[in-house]
Amino acid sequence: MDFELGIIGAGTGGYVAAIRAAQNGKKVVLIEKENLGGVCLNRGCIPTKTLLKSSEKWQDLSRAEEFGLSLEHASFDWGKIQERKRNVIAQMQGGIKQLLKANKVTVLYGEASLIDAHRLQIRTSSPAGPEDEAPVSRISAASPATAAEIPAAEASVTTLTCENLILATGSSPARPPIPGSDLPGVITSDELLELDQVPESLVIVGAGVIGLEFACVFAPLGCKITLVEMLPSILPPGDVDLQRRLGLALRKQNITAKTKAAVQSITAQNGQLEVKISAGGKEEILPAAKVLIATGRRPNLNPAELDKLQIAYTKKGILVNEKMQTSAAGVYAIGDVTGLSMLAHSAAHQGLVAVANICGQSEIMDYHAIPSCVFTHPEIASVGLTEQECKERGLNPAISKFNFAANGKAVTMGETEGLVKLLADKETHRLLGCHIIGPHASDLIMEGALAVQQGLTAEALTGTIHPHPTLSEAVSEAALGLFGNMLHQVNLRR
């Protein structure tokens, strides 16, 4: 065998798996057809959060007088905002490249196809990264090489053998069959990230994580945003209190959300797009400079190859067991291509689980305490069961809510919008869920994630001293309210 492990896809799951396998002494080849970091680094998590930070800074400037500051002639430069985004991506790509090199992972740039469970055919290509990242065409088992050591002139089609394979091919934006969705100006998140100017108006089809985050990028910069969601509420299937609070926050930012609304068609009229929607039995035309299709993502599957290897799959993704094994011996799948939890941190952990089992250990993937974050204004983060899920399971949990308006640190920051909501079992007092909307929710959620994962009780949280003044005190206060009395707010408990 040329390699002990071959990994197709260098996204978050793929490159993390490659590093861990190499740390465990495995000879690893990592194959990527585009750029290191995959969707997360190049077209997802990192670029969107970089743009969101610029938008957030601009929002802060608009409130300068509230903090005793005076600003004149403030402006933003979208070109420089985009340049910063590209620099952030390049910096992080360089970091991943160095990590892979330090761990002696062989990196190939090209299109990989499966011959069987142990053989790959690779058509190499030039990467979009630095010039020294030349493609690899021929690798000998006796002489492992990094991508930088093989000249581009030798690029061709080659075959490699691997004892085990990990499929980490990711996902792509889904496009529903809406008439007119192929018109110029109807775009996915990939194209929206590369716009050379802020559009005057944007209709976003889908009010899930992707649609909401982009709404919060562009609305503060002067873009008129309209969200169109088929389901009864934004952010499905989020906790009901977070959905309501976010709806109020979006309205304050002049973001319009139309729920229970179906898109009938998209047409081009007089130099702009028109989106025809149907809501409540009535039709409405929404004009827009651009239309973003944000209706989710679909796994990158190659049915012919999967059928050839007898790897079971559905339209939602490749089927795997709790050890991330597919139905073909020696072949594993991780990340978005499995459709199980389309989050970068889930992919990374799935990669660690897969590698552990490849290395002879016995680990399983546990999904019950995976935190999810939405980087809107304000942020949202959740872990564990929502109130709706508890009802569906016939549970009647204790519920406690603490508002950031009663938190000293939030008041000093001028960010009092939102709350911490905890759900716990009434008999055991174990925490079932934690849901936060407010400042730094994505950072605060880890206390809830640890509590849900480890089966901690409300008393375990309240018995831990939280520093003052910090936002974390809101979690402690919510925990106090589950089975006792809050100190800085009248109980909001059920």
Side-chain angles (χ1 to χ4, degrees):
M1 293 286 180
D2 294 324
F3 294 92
E4 293 171 281
L5 176 60
I7 303 172
I8 303 176
T12 307
Y15 84 75
V16 166
I19 291 172
R20 178 49 53 87
Q23 289 173 343
N24 286 348
K26 296 293 183 182
K27 186 178 178 183
V28 183
V29 60
L30 178 64
I31 304 131
E32 171 56 49
K33 68 177 181 179
E34 293 179 343
N35 298 294
L36 292 177
V39 168
C40 175
L41 176 51
N42 298 281
R43 300 182 300 282
C45 312
I46 299 304
T48 55
K49 278 53 179 181
T50 306
L51 296 181
L52 276 162
K53 177 52 70 173
S54 292
S55 182
E56 178 187 322
K57 294 289 188 183
W58 182 245
Q59 277 189 314
D60 289 343
L61 290 176
S62 70
R63 299 174 57 197
E65 289 189 5
E66 179 184 332
F67 293 87
L69 307 175
S70 179
L71 296 174
E72 293 183 6
H73 310 300
S75 63
F76 68 84
D77 186 325
W78 179 249
K80 290 184 178 179
I81 291 173
Q82 286 282 46
E83 182 181 359
R84 178 175 183 269
K85 180 201 73 179
R86 290 188 289 271
N87 290 339
V88 168
I89 292 171
Q91 178 181 338
M92 297 195 69
Q93 280 180 342
I96 294 172
K97 177 188 173 185
Q98 291 302 317
L99 285 170
L100 293 168
K101 182 177 181 181
N103 284 281
K104 296 181 172 56
V105 174
T106 298
V107 180
L108 310 187
Y109 290 89
E111 189 93 28
S113 56
L114 302 174
I115 300 173
D116 55 38
H118 298 291
R119 287 188 298 162
L120 298 174
Q121 187 178 77
I122 304 166
R123 184 178 297 276
T124 58
S125 61
S126 296
E131 291 182 0
D132 66 337
E133 291 182 340
V136 176
S137 59
R138 293 188 297 275
I139 302 291
S140 68
S143 179
T146 65
E149 294 172 340
I150 305 297
E154 296 185 19
S156 63
V157 176
T158 191
T159 299
L160 297 178
T161 57
C162 306
E163 288 182 25
N164 294 281
L165 295 175
I166 293 179
L167 308 181
T169 51
S171 64
S172 301
R175 275 187 179 266
I178 299 172
S181 61
D182 57 347
L183 288 170
V186 182
I187 57 180
T188 68
S189 57
D190 289 357
E191 295 84 51
L192 187 62
L193 282 167
E194 301 305 321
L195 290 182
D196 56 9
Q197 62 183 5
V198 176
E200 291 184 4
S201 56
L202 179 65
V203 169
I204 300 177
V205 182
V209 175
I210 297 171
L212 290 169
E213 289 192 352
F214 277 114
C216 290
V217 167
F218 288 99
L221 303 179
C223 180
K224 181 181 179 181
I225 302 289
T226 305
L227 292 157
V228 181
E229 173 58 53
M230 284 188 63
L231 296 175
S233 62
I234 61 173
L235 194 60
D239 185 87
V240 61
D241 280 302
L242 271 58
Q243 291 172 335
R244 291 170 183 163
R245 290 291 187 109
L246 182 60
L248 292 172
L250 294 180
R251 284 196 286 275
K252 291 179 181 178
Q253 298 171 62
N254 297 316
I255 297 172
T256 301
K258 296 181 179 292
T259 55
K260 296 183 181 179
V263 177
Q264 303 296 315
S265 64
I266 304 171
T267 56
Q269 299 288 341
N270 302 318
Q272 69 175 6
L273 296 166
E274 293 187 348
V275 182
K276 180 189 289 187
I277 68 170
S278 175
K282 297 180 180 179
E283 289 189 345
E284 183 179 356
I285 300 295
L286 305 175
K290 301 285 184 183
V291 176
L292 170 65
I293 303 298
T295 51
R297 301 183 66 85
R298 56 176 177 78
N300 293 328
L301 301 173
N302 187 325
E305 289 188 355
L306 298 177
D307 290 340
K308 180 172 62 176
L309 272 67
Q310 297 184 325
I311 295 175
Y313 63 94
T314 69
K315 64 179 181 180
K316 293 182 178 180
I318 295 174
L319 298 177
V320 293
N321 62 15
E322 58 190 6
K323 295 184 176 183
M324 308 313 300
Q325 296 168 320
T326 71
S327 53
V331 181
Y332 296 72
I334 62 173
D336 285 7
V337 76
T338 67
L340 292 173
S341 177
M342 299 177 91
L343 299 167
H345 43 286
S346 296
H349 199 77
Q350 287 173 334
L352 297 178
V353 170
V355 168
N357 289 293
I358 288 170
C359 293
Q361 303 165 36
S362 182
E363 288 195 19
I364 64 172
M365 184 67 193
D366 182 0
Y367 296 91
H368 93 282
I370 297 177
S372 63
C373 303
V374 189
F375 294 85
T376 45
H377 302 307
E379 288 185 358
I380 282 178
S382 291
V383 68
L385 299 178
T386 64
E387 185 174 346
Q388 301 97 299
E389 288 172 331
C390 285
K391 289 179 180 178
E392 291 168 2
R393 299 186 185 194
L395 302 176
N396 181 30
I399 299 175
S400 175
K401 293 178 280 188
F402 184 82
N403 290 302
F404 279 108
N407 175 267
K409 180 65 178 292
V411 173
T412 67
M413 295 167 63
E415 297 183 41
T416 57
E417 200 161 33
L419 56 79
V420 174
K421 178 178 180 179
L422 299 181
L423 298 88
D425 184 278
K426 287 183 177 179
E427 293 185 4
T428 66
H429 292 196
R430 289 176 62 175
L431 200 67
L432 299 175
C434 176
H435 309 281
I436 306 173
I437 177 170
H440 295 277
S442 60
D443 302 308
L444 294 174
I445 196 62
M446 271 314 300
E447 183 171 0
L450 184 63
V452 173
Q453 176 68 40
Q454 298 299 320
L456 301 183
T457 64
E459 290 77 11
L461 295 185
T462 60
T464 301
I465 298 174
H466 290 64
H468 175 79
T470 65
L471 298 171
S472 68
E473 291 173 285
V475 180
S476 177
E477 288 275 5
L480 281 171
L482 281 168
F483 303 105
N485 292 302
M486 297 178 187
L487 294 171
H488 293 90
Q489 176 183 284
V490 176
N491 274 14
L492 296 177
R493 178 175 65 212
R494 295 201 300 276

